[in-house]
Amino acid sequence: MAAHRPGPLKQQNKAHKGGRHRGRGSAQRDGKGRLALKTLSKKVRKELSRVDQRHRASQLRKQKKEAVLAEKRQLGGKDGPPHQVLVVPLHSRISLPEAMQLLQDRDTGTVHLNELGNTQNFMLLCPRLKHRWFFTSARPGDLHVVLDMAKVADTILFLLDPLEGWDSTGDYCLSCLFAQGLPTYTLAVQGISGLPLKKQIDTRKKLSKAVEKRFPHDKLLLLDTQQEAGMLLRQLANQKQQHLAFRDRRAYLFAHAVDFVPSEENNLVGTLKISGYVRGQTLNVNRLLHIVGYGDFQMKQIDAPGDPFPLNPRGIKPQKDPDMAMEICATDAVDDMEEGLKVLMKADPGRQESLQAEVIPDPMEGEQTWPTEEELSEAKDFLKESSKVVKKVPKGTSSYQAEWILDGGSQSGGEGDEYEYDDMEHEDFMEEESQDESSEEEEEYETMTIGESVHDDLYDKKVDEEAEAKMLEKYKQERLEEMFPDEVDTPRDVAARIRFQKYRGLKSFRTSPWDPKENLPQDYARIFQFQNFTNTRKSIFKEVEEKEVEGAEVGWYVTLHVSEVPVSVVECFRQGTPLIAFSLLPHEQKMSVLNMVVRRDPGNTEPVKAKEELIFHCGFRRFRASPLFSQHTAADKHKLQRFLTADMALVATVYAPITFPPASVLLFKQKSNGMHSLIATGHLMSVDPDRMVIKRVVLSGHPFKIFTKMAVDVLWFKPVELRTKWGRRGHIKEPLGTHGHMKCSFDGKLKSQDTVLMNLYKRVFPKWTYDPYVPEPVPWLKSEISSTVPQGGME
């Protein structure tokens, strides 16, 4: 008879632990006053009663509410800067002059007009609402103007079309603004009152449903009458402000007036006087000033003239003519400004930050990492004098990399003489090959301008065959890179050990060591590097938040005297281009290596090759550079990507001035017709010159004679490990003949259809092509947008 065994669902009761229980008194006696580890590591927090907890929560809510109200009162109030509103029409049917005319409500307050070229702006003073606005406008076609003005605007007012919302140009502009970071924004619809009454409700419902894709939980306001404009102004004044991190920690200024005083020595350079309201943080005259699109400059002094647009001017008797009253107010304001002009601060040469952006390398300090000609000649003489048996290793291999290289034992006689001859020949070709290698890399990563996609009528008139051939070749290279990543053809006219002398083999790409200070280029002697970038960033931000800085306070109307500014800056301002200036934090003028995490924009399908010149919007900066693309991994080595792929986030590495994150990043590419297309978007990750970008080269060969575990292959280096596409691993045994044949041993039998591969690695560095001057692109034409930008708006 079989015994009964309980099943898996049988209840298991907890066993009684008799005799192990201790009372509180015994536990205290055994502890003898000692505290637990958790008690020692945590802060001693006093337990509050429920009434005290509610009281504390109420105090925190009250403090946050008061902080929000104080911010609202300061922005646009008498003690703060005017509320700057950027008006952006998102459709070509929107009448911008009509919208600006509705916002110029003279019944609400005083209007000060100021028109510069194509940029129309005005100041609206409303003493009754205790608020003042500064309205500016920009068309979506002027992409860089919109992006630059969005960096300093407090609120963006988007004007929508009642039928389509936005067109393709507006959709492209919104994509760029979302990637850069949006401040507070408001949506207004123009022209809905011109529709029949029966269609107005349906149109608003369809428009609201279409707008939800980009602006969820946002209400649509109307802008067709003077009453609706007044409601819109109240909405702008009472909105909660959204902050952009890169501008809240720096002082910045939008130029209301600009004057240029040429220097006595050169008329092309002089002192630029920029007048405007200080925003963000306190502006110190000893800090450097960055003018967006032009570079970094020093300030001489800061003047404090009277505010030309006071919210509450001096009391004046009421006039019958309101226009006359406005002229009197403006005249008194100008007189007060001239009378109250005073120098606020002058630069101290001992405390003023230097414009030095690069390190001047000293050859006596050993900063040149590549051997000189004298060192190479000494090495040759040493090899001739000494007759030692040497191990054959790739050029550039260090001692810690040679530990895993297979050694066939000590050899002597004729074979050793042959190895010695090979090494001497290797040294002879080193200098010549270094020049050839640089020229090959220049040819491999040549900067090319992609031709504009043309229409059918252009083919009948003029076809750019050269641009089409370059585009086709680049598409072929991108396709081959996807099918056979990193595989290259072995040259027949140059010995492989000469062509790949700067490469090395790695036992494991992830775990094999690689010294980040080894074989650095000459450009690395010109850059700055932090001992600990994270700690430096934290200390600078803490100093900005806590330390009181002397200078112009937020909300003051000041005039900055900027020295050594080219005359082209003021010429562009007079033509209508806005002038925006940011105060730099310490070290932000110095050159280093910036690493940015970017992801390709889905609306762009053209191939983008590494080391191709692109236009960067990094935080408040705009510059040109040629980036390297590498994989975004957590390892110490990162594989180079030859093209900007669309299915993953990559890291773009460039030489550029130091910028402390957080900062948004936008990558543009300039076409042959002057237009700029959005390539990728992302954010600044770090400033780290030690981040190693490793280029991999895969040499492939086909086995043509197989003996169980032995195979004959071509063009291999003996120390480097071999692998096959079917997972076999092996190494080179010995060479055969003089045509590059050799015997290889593997850990298993090879298949005839298998392919033998060899991985070689080399660290690569970006090109030094940094250019801070980026001119404005050609405005977008409607006929050209439909072929390059995905359609937006309502469907």
Side-chain angles (χ1 to χ4, degrees), residues 199-211:
K199 293 185 177 180
Q200 289 184 6
I201 299 177
D202 295 338
T203 302
R204 292 188 64 176
K205 289 182 179 179
K206 292 181 180 179
L207 183 60
S208 300
K209 188 175 181 180
V211 166

Side-chain angles (χ1 to χ4, degrees), residues 1 31 99 202 286 323 381 409 428 471 474 484 490 526 566 591 620 673 779:
M1 183 176 177
D202 295 338
N286 293 320
D323 295 334
D381 297 338
D428 292 334
M471 177 70 71
K474 189 172 286 189
F484 308 101
T490 306
R526 303 163 57 185
M591 294 291 293
F620 57 89
N673 59 356

Side-chain angles (χ1 to χ4, degrees), residues 635-651:
D636 61 339
K637 295 181 288 293
H638 312 272
K639 193 175 80 68
L640 173 75
Q641 294 291 118
R642 289 175 170 82
F643 288 88
L644 180 61
T645 56
D647 57 344
M648 66 177 71
L650 300 179
V651 177

Side-chain angles (χ1 to χ4, degrees), residues 322-334:
D323 295 334
M324 182 66 68
M326 186 180 66
E327 293 179 0
I328 294 174
C329 292
T331 304
D332 291 345
V334 173

Side-chain angles (χ1 to χ4, degrees), residues 70-127:
E71 184 181 4
K72 287 183 179 180
R73 295 190 189 100
Q74 184 181 13
L75 182 61
K78 62 178 182 178
D79 298 329
H83 190 156
Q84 186 164 341
V85 181
L86 173 62
V87 183
V88 180
L90 296 179
H91 202 282
S92 58
R93 288 198 294 260
I94 295 174
S95 175
L96 183 59
E98 182 180 350
M100 301 296 277
Q101 189 66 32
L102 288 174
L103 294 172
Q104 297 173 12
D105 188 3
R106 299 184 182 273
D107 296 334
T108 305
T110 307
V111 178
H112 296 271
L113 297 177
N114 181 17
E115 187 172 351
L116 292 173
N118 297 328
T119 303
Q120 191 179 29
N121 49 37
F122 64 92
M123 187 77 69
L124 178 61
L125 309 178
C126 300

Side-chain angles (χ1 to χ4, degrees), residues 508-777:
S508 172
F509 183 80
R510 184 179 62 87
T511 60
S512 295
W514 194 310
D515 188 2
K517 304 297 184 182
E518 179 183 357
N519 292 339
L520 298 179
Q522 298 286 346
D523 291 336
Y524 262 52
R526 303 163 57 185
I527 64 174
F528 290 83
Q529 182 177 5
F530 295 98
Q531 187 173 3
N532 192 321
F533 176 74
T534 304
N535 291 347
T536 305
R537 172 179 169 271
K538 288 181 179 179
S539 63
I540 290 177
F541 284 176
K542 186 177 181 181
E543 182 179 355
V544 170
E545 296 174 359
E546 298 179 358
K547 187 177 179 180
E548 295 183 1
V549 181
E550 297 180 355
E553 298 290 341
V554 177
W556 290 5
Y557 187 84
V558 297
T559 300
L560 309 180
H561 295 248
V562 188
S563 59
E564 301 297 328
V565 179
V567 69
S568 59
V569 178
V570 70
E571 291 177 354
C572 293
F573 177 79
R574 290 169 182 169
Q575 293 175 2
T577 304
L579 195 149
I580 298 167
F582 277 84
S583 177
L584 297 182
L585 296 176
H587 311 296
E588 284 194 329
Q589 81 279 11
K590 301 174 182 177
M591 294 291 293
S592 188
V593 179
L594 271 61
N595 302 305
M596 314 169 187
V597 179
V598 297
R599 186 179 291 273
R600 184 159 184 170
D601 184 68
N604 187 280
T605 58
E606 297 179 1
V608 180
K609 205 172 183 180
K611 293 188 179 179
E612 196 169 343
E613 189 179 73
L614 301 177
I615 298 171
F616 286 76
H617 278 255
C618 181
F620 57 89
R621 292 186 185 273
R622 188 171 76 237
F623 57 88
R624 295 175 182 269
S626 300
L628 287 178
F629 300 122
S630 58
Q631 293 180 351
H632 182 34
T633 58
D636 61 339
K637 295 181 288 293
H638 312 272
K639 193 175 80 68
L640 173 75
Q641 294 291 118
R642 289 175 170 82
F643 288 88
L644 180 61
T645 56
D647 57 344
M648 66 177 71
L650 300 179
V651 177
T653 303
V654 295
Y655 291 113
I658 294 170
T659 303
F660 292 104
S664 58
V665 174
L666 282 78
L667 273 66
F668 292 90
K669 185 177 182 180
Q670 185 171 358
K671 298 186 178 181
S672 57
N673 59 356
M675 294 168 53
H676 293 174
S677 60
L678 181 65
I679 298 296
T681 59
H683 65 276
L684 178 62
M685 181 178 67
S686 65
V687 180
D688 184 14
D690 287 342
R691 189 180 190 274
M692 291 186 292
V693 180
I694 307 299
K695 179 181 179 181
R696 184 181 70 172
V697 169
V698 178
L699 305 181
S700 60
H702 183 70
F704 59 88
K705 190 179 294 184
I706 301 174
F707 306 97
T708 310
K709 292 185 179 182
M710 301 291 295
V712 179
D713 214 335
V714 292
L715 299 176
W716 302 127
F717 301 127
K718 187 174 181 180
V720 185
E721 185 182 38
L722 306 179
R723 66 180 180 90
T724 68
K725 290 189 175 182
W726 286 32
R728 297 299 181 190
R729 291 185 177 273
H731 59 276
I732 299 172
K733 292 287 290 184
E734 58 182 351
L736 291 177
T738 59
H739 296 280
H741 295 182
M742 54 196 70
K743 294 181 179 180
C744 305
S745 175
F746 293 87
D747 58 357
K749 185 177 180 180
L750 297 185
K751 302 293 183 181
S752 60
Q753 65 270 26
D754 202 353
T755 303
V756 183
L757 304 175
M758 175 191 288
N759 293 341
L760 297 176
Y761 301 93
K762 179 186 72 170
R763 184 179 179 184
V764 292
F765 304 91
K767 287 184 177 180
W768 193 291
T769 57
Y770 171 77
D771 184 9
Y773 177 71
V774 181
E776 296 296 331

